[in-house]
Amino acid sequence: MRVPLSWLREYVDLPAGVSGRDVAEKLVGLGLEVETVDQLGSDLKGPLVVGHVLEIEELTGFKKPIRFCKVDVGDANGTGEPQQIVCGATNFDVDDKVVVILPGGVLPGGFEIAARKTYGKTSEGMICSARELGMGDDHSGIIVLPVQAEPGTDAIELLGLVDEVLDIAVTPDRGYCLSMRGVAREAAIAYGIPLRDPALLDVPGVNTYGYPVVVDDTDGCRRFVARTVIGVDPTAPSPLWLQRRVQMAGMRPISLAVDITNYVMLELGQPLHAYDRSRLQGPITVRRARDGEKLTTLDGVERVLDPEDLLITDDSGPIGLAGVMGGATTEIGLATGDIVIEAANFDPVSIARTARRHKLGSEASRRFERGVDPEAARAAAQRAVDLLVLLGGEGAVAEAGVTEIDAPREPVRIGMAVDHPGNVAGVAYSAETVAQRLQDVGCTVEGIDALTVTPPTWRPDLTDPNDLAEEVIRLEGYDAVPSTLPQAPAGRGLTATQRLRRRIGRALAGDGYSEVLNYPFVGDAVFESFGLDAADPRRITVKLVNPISDEEPALRTTLLPGLLAALRRNVGRGNSDVALFEAGLVFHPKTERPIAPRLPVDRRPTGAELEELAAALPDQPYHVAVVLTGEREPSGWWGNGRAAGWADAVEAARVVGAAVGVDVTVRQAQYAPWHPGRCAEILVGDTVVGHAGELHPRVVKALQLPERTCAMELDVALLTAELAELGGERLALAGHISSFPVATQDVALIVDASVPAADVEGALRDGAGELLESLRLFDVFTGEQIGAGKKSLAYALRFRAADRTLTAEESTAARDAAVALAAERTGAVLRGA
């Protein structure tokens, strides 16, 4: 909302010498967001005067029209003689009044004016357009003034070129400040001075001979006022003061009727619409749209209407989108003399949805969606009628008919303890202060200790005691509220879950992965790229009501889409060796979706209320995932590096398991989006907690990733399910360090290619007994030497006793026992035996 200071002074007697910046500071103190204070005309310097065109000589021989004019500027030039000026505009004639800047003057932008020879003539000044004076972007012609303007009159004052304009960013809860009336009320409070309310007008009573109106949807239209003015001169221009105010407020002057409706909207905050009565067919009706209806709006676009759209109609059909934009069929035209004024109050939600549905924001919809004072409709209609009669020519007359359709509503009454604002702010406010501040904003206050407060009709945002407390606090000054830090309770520290999650992050960071944080939004396209089956549970997502992007309207069920997008972005920026990890929530909808309760704000929710809220939320397990590509071990002078592979992704799962104190096992699996031959499922006991390996080539191609990109994802909740039963974490116990030497035995076992290495390793570990210190797979071999369908697994077994040096016989016996159990469980055969 742009607020000219000169206009604001009409409603409040600001102290002498107060500047726009002073007013802005006061308004900011009340909680308004004043973004800028524009100094209009600060670099404009006269003499800038009214000129009377006496003669026009058309100069020929040039590529564009050039006119040599003699202009009477009164005594402004010090001689009284006509001023000779060369001008290229053609929209004025002899006897017109124009704006002339004389030599020595300076136009906005530092453009100095001097007498100069041009087109073979000496030009002693310039005849100005609106853009040259900083009044707008119109440069199609010069400004033609009313005939009443006297030559030599100061045009700076006449046109209001020097002013200060406050640009206020109005938040959704302060819709009343989208008007001069609302901002003036705030300024009056800030300076402690009276307000001259422009809505206090004498309005005639409702009668039965106004223009007929029918309201079929009283939920969508709470009030509709119609007034008629006849005999308006279609050629009557808007006066300069009205045009200038509309311009300074950020709108474009169009015609008298349209300018008046815009002016009244800016003044009172009530959007109006003007209809050409000769184009109306039958009574005006407010109703919802019907299937198949269309409307061509004032911007010339034909719009297909939705059954939820609230319409203004007549017997011909739709003639306007209520509260958004009028229709072209009843538009005010060049011959319009009889005008019907609409001042209505529409449902904010309905207007907001219509404006968004049709992508048609307007000054009217911007106000209606924030809530408009229903009591302002009568005054706004009367104000528009008065201005049309005053400015619309001698024949303009207001018809006596006054139409008003009203669906009255009970006023909101809010109960509040008088000490509630003080309790909220931590500041002691007296009962008199609380009552006075509420009255300042227009509330009716009853009671002493327990107040009953009725908010004013222009404040639909005041609905509960905390809203009233905010009003008291902001008017008393936010700077009066002391800054106090809450005291943190001692001795709690991090929870077991927090410590566990931090250990996971530190472990992966120590293993060379960089953490990223991605938006938790996905779309169906990524699931197609992953090659997920139609029945895959990861396709069942929680849909967002108002997504940031239509391409990602759901919450993620896996961390991989965001991680792979981050990897692709890094590779695209020249980082060929990338290893990333992310830990966060994924979201799975529940089969039954109860409605979430609305929790109270004046007290702590009860346990039952919190449980009810939790039951309405989707399941949100905590996952951790990694992606990697390029070299895992870099090349250098020491030799070639090693490319990242599926084994590194599997190792990342083991790193996470070790960090939380859980032993994980690995076995081959097939699970999208991984390569079917290079995918492992990660298990804790018999529970699958995640997958790791190399991504499927089709996935890599679809997502434009480097070849052989690898990934791992674990469900931390499943990974730590056993720990949860133990209180959330397991203490790490230091093992006994033996001073006796280790005995190493290597074995190579031949098994079927389908036998998981994890099964062989488990059998060796169980068979070796207590003397086994560690077990490591160091080679996998396939080839003709061991037969088709077979593979050789070579393990290094380390044996050590805590109290003695093992003999060769003891370590060999332990090895043989391990091999025997592996043969029994997996059919393993000792290679070379």
Side-chain angles (χ1 to χ4, degrees):
M1 177 68 187
R2 291 177 58 81
V3 179
L5 194 61
S6 60
W7 196 356
L8 185 65
R9 291 183 184 274
E10 285 198 4
Y11 312 119
V12 285
D13 293 324
L14 297 174
V18 167
S19 69
R21 296 191 182 279
D22 297 331
V23 176
E25 184 177 351
K26 287 283 190 179
L27 295 179
V28 169
L30 295 183
L32 296 183
E33 298 180 18
V34 182
E35 294 188 330
T36 61
V37 179
D38 296 332
Q39 307 288 332
L40 303 185
S42 60
D43 53 353
L44 177 64
K45 178 184 175 183
L48 184 74
V49 297
V50 176
H52 178 205
V53 181
L54 301 177
E55 298 178 15
I56 298 178
E57 178 187 350
E58 303 287 347
L59 302 182
T60 59
F62 302 103
K63 294 182 179 179
K64 61 181 180 178
I66 300 296
R67 311 171 95 188
F68 182 60
C69 308
K70 290 186 178 181
V71 183
D72 178 12
V73 294
D75 295 328
N77 58 5
T79 66
E81 295 295 323
Q83 204 79 1
Q84 299 181 0
I85 301 174
V86 175
C87 181
T90 59
N91 67 314
F92 65 98
D93 296 309
V94 173
D95 283 336
D96 280 346
K97 303 293 177 63
V98 295
V99 180
V100 177
I101 186 165
L102 300 177
V106 180
L107 289 174
F111 183 61
E112 298 182 1
I113 303 300
R116 63 190 182 94
K117 193 163 185 176
T118 179
Y119 296 102
K121 300 287 185 179
T122 299
S123 182
E124 301 169 338
M126 179 188 290
I127 302 176
C128 302
S129 69
R131 188 171 73 181
E132 289 162 345
L133 295 176
M135 296 177 62
D137 295 328
D138 186 8
H139 197 53
S140 59
I142 57 92
I143 298 173
V144 178
L145 300 173
V147 295
Q148 299 88 350
E150 288 293 327
T153 303
D154 184 3
I156 294 178
E157 182 178 352
L158 179 67
L159 297 176
L161 297 178
V162 177
D163 207 338
E164 295 180 272
V165 179
L166 283 64
D167 194 349
I168 301 174
V170 179
T171 52
D173 60 331
R174 305 236 179 257
Y176 66 96
C177 284
L178 287 171
S179 68
M180 295 299 304
R181 180 192 184 202
V183 177
R185 179 176 287 106
E186 294 291 304
I189 295 172
Y191 283 96
I193 53 181
L195 167 71
R196 289 187 292 275
D197 192 344
L200 296 180
L201 302 175
D202 292 330
V203 180
V206 180
N207 52 52
T208 59
Y209 40 92
Y211 196 90
V213 175
V214 178
V215 177
D216 289 342
D217 191 330
T218 55
D219 290 330
C221 180
R222 302 169 183 178
R223 174 168 286 168
F224 195 108
V225 176
R227 300 288 301 277
T228 304
V229 179
I230 60 174
V232 175
D233 181 359
T235 64
S238 299
L240 290 175
W241 63 265
L242 192 151
Q243 292 188 47
R244 184 58 178 150
R245 285 186 172 179
V246 170
Q247 284 175 336
M248 288 192 291
M251 303 183 73
R252 181 172 58 90
I254 297 174
S255 66
L256 177 63
V258 175
D259 293 349
I260 285 175
T261 57
N262 287 336
Y263 179 84
V264 174
M265 177 185 68
L266 293 168
E267 183 179 49
L268 301 181
Q270 169 67 56
L272 303 176
H273 188 69
Y275 299 93
D276 185 335
R277 191 172 74 166
S278 66
R279 298 185 178 186
L280 290 172
Q281 301 178 26
I284 293 174
T285 302
V286 184
R287 62 170 173 82
R288 298 287 173 176
R290 297 168 185 153
D291 287 337
E293 284 191 307
K294 297 180 180 180
L295 169 68
T296 301
T297 46
L298 289 173
D299 57 359
V301 177
E302 184 180 67
R303 303 181 185 277
V304 179
L305 303 177
D306 187 275
E308 291 298 314
D309 292 335
L310 190 66
L311 300 182
I312 308 297
T313 68
D314 64 3
D315 290 347
S316 67
I319 59 173
L321 275 174
V324 180
M325 185 174 286
T329 58
T330 55
E331 179 181 5
I332 299 294
L334 297 176
T336 300
D338 298 343
I339 297 172
V340 177
I341 296 293
E342 165 206 302
N345 187 268
F346 299 113
D347 175 56
V349 174
S350 175
I351 300 306
R353 288 176 177 171
T354 296
R356 284 159 179 74
R357 187 180 300 120
H358 294 282
K359 296 180 174 60
L360 187 62
S362 65
E363 290 289 340
S365 66
R366 186 179 172 214
R367 286 162 174 80
F368 278 124
E369 34 182 72
R370 286 166 170 78
V372 170
D373 181 6
E375 298 300 322
R378 297 189 192 96
Q382 183 63 44
R383 179 70 164 141
V385 167
D386 292 344
L387 288 172
L388 281 171
V389 172
L390 177 65
L391 305 174
E394 295 181 358
V397 177
E399 287 194 344
V402 178
T403 302
E404 181 175 336
I405 307 297
D406 187 19
R409 283 166 171 73
E410 287 295 321
V412 176
R413 290 184 173 85
I414 305 170
M416 182 186 76
V418 73
D419 60 351
H420 180 63
N423 293 337
V424 171
V427 177
Y429 299 123
S430 66
E432 293 78 9
T433 297
V434 172
Q436 182 59 52
R437 286 310 190 183
L438 293 176
Q439 290 168 356
D440 286 344
V441 298
C443 296
T444 301
V445 182
E446 301 172 354
I448 300 176
D449 293 330
L451 303 180
T452 300
V453 182
T454 304
T457 53
W458 60 82
R459 293 299 302 274
D461 58 301
L462 302 181
T463 58
D464 60 54
N466 288 313
D467 294 331
L468 301 178
E470 180 185 0
E471 293 301 301
V472 174
I473 295 167
R474 78 177 182 91
L475 296 187
E476 281 296 296
Y478 290 119
D479 54 351
V481 178
S483 297
T484 56
L485 291 175
Q487 293 185 351
R492 294 189 179 180
L494 300 175
T495 65
T497 299
Q498 290 171 326
R499 289 193 294 271
L500 181 141
R501 292 179 178 179
R502 291 195 179 191
R503 284 204 304 273
I504 292 174
R506 284 195 296 266
L508 288 174
D511 202 37
Y513 292 88
S514 299
E515 185 174 14
V516 296
L517 297 174
N518 295 302
Y519 287 117
F521 310 125
V522 295
D524 290 338
V526 73
F527 298 139
E528 296 295 335
S529 299
F530 278 12
L532 302 188
D533 294 334
D536 195 300
R538 287 172 290 177
R539 282 184 174 270
I540 305 173
T541 57
V542 177
K543 297 296 190 297
L544 299 172
V545 174
N546 189 23
I548 294 176
S549 168
D550 293 336
E551 295 179 356
E552 295 180 331
L555 293 175
R556 65 191 178 192
T557 53
T558 167
L559 299 180
L560 292 183
L563 268 175
L564 292 173
L567 181 140
R568 181 178 63 246
R569 192 177 305 114
N570 277 272
V571 170
R573 284 162 171 73
N575 299 317
S576 57
D577 305 327
V578 182
L580 306 176
F581 85 93
E582 181 177 12
L585 301 177
V586 299
F587 307 86
H588 297 286
K590 295 177 179 177
T591 305
E592 296 182 1
R593 304 180 185 179
I595 299 175
R598 184 176 181 180
L599 298 181
V601 296
D602 56 345
R603 60 173 174 82
R604 176 182 171 82
T606 64
E609 289 171 332
L610 292 175
E611 290 178 3
E612 186 180 359
L613 177 65
L617 297 175
D619 292 327
Q620 303 176 54
Y622 190 79
H623 280 206
V624 62
V626 307
V627 294
L628 64 163
T629 190
E631 290 189 340
R632 187 69 175 124
E633 295 176 2
S635 304
W637 58 265
W638 51 84
N640 295 328
R642 181 179 63 83
W646 63 265
D648 295 296
V650 172
E651 182 60 25
R654 291 195 175 99
V655 168
V656 173
V660 301
V662 172
D663 293 327
V664 300
T665 55
V666 179
R667 69 184 179 199
Q668 189 175 12
Q670 294 187 10
Y671 191 70
W674 282 274
H675 190 300
R678 297 167 188 166
C679 173
E681 57 185 12
I682 313 300
L683 301 97
V684 174
D686 295 328
T687 303
V688 177
V689 298
H691 294 82
E694 182 182 313
L695 294 180
H696 196 290
R698 284 198 296 268
V699 176
V700 169
K701 182 178 180 181
L703 297 179
Q704 299 178 359
L705 301 172
E707 293 182 358
R708 298 194 177 279
T709 296
C710 300
M712 177 278 292
E713 183 169 15
L714 296 176
D715 184 332
V716 178
L718 293 177
L719 181 70
T720 59
E722 179 184 344
L723 299 182
E725 299 175 0
L726 302 175
E729 59 184 338
R730 175 180 291 159
L731 295 177
L733 300 178
H736 176 74
I737 299 177
S738 174
S739 60
F740 296 96
V742 66
T744 303
Q745 296 274 359
D746 293 343
V747 296
L749 302 177
I750 298 175
V751 296
D752 290 339
S754 61
V755 175
D759 292 352
V760 177
E761 181 178 328
L764 290 173
R765 195 176 296 278
D766 292 343
E770 296 180 353
L771 294 179
L772 182 66
E773 182 179 79
S774 67
L775 174 67
R776 179 174 61 89
L777 175 66
F778 67 87
D779 185 56
V780 178
F781 176 77
T782 57
E784 296 179 358
Q785 298 92 324
I786 58 174
K790 300 289 184 178
K791 63 182 176 182
S792 170
L793 304 176
Y795 291 91
L797 290 76
R798 291 167 58 91
F799 298 99
R800 195 194 311 256
D803 55 352
R804 68 188 187 279
T805 298
L806 293 178
T807 64
E809 291 78 9
E810 288 177 307
S811 61
T812 300
R815 183 202 66 179
D816 293 343
V819 170
L821 189 57
E824 179 183 339
R825 290 184 180 178
T826 66
V829 176
L830 191 63
R831 187 176 177 182

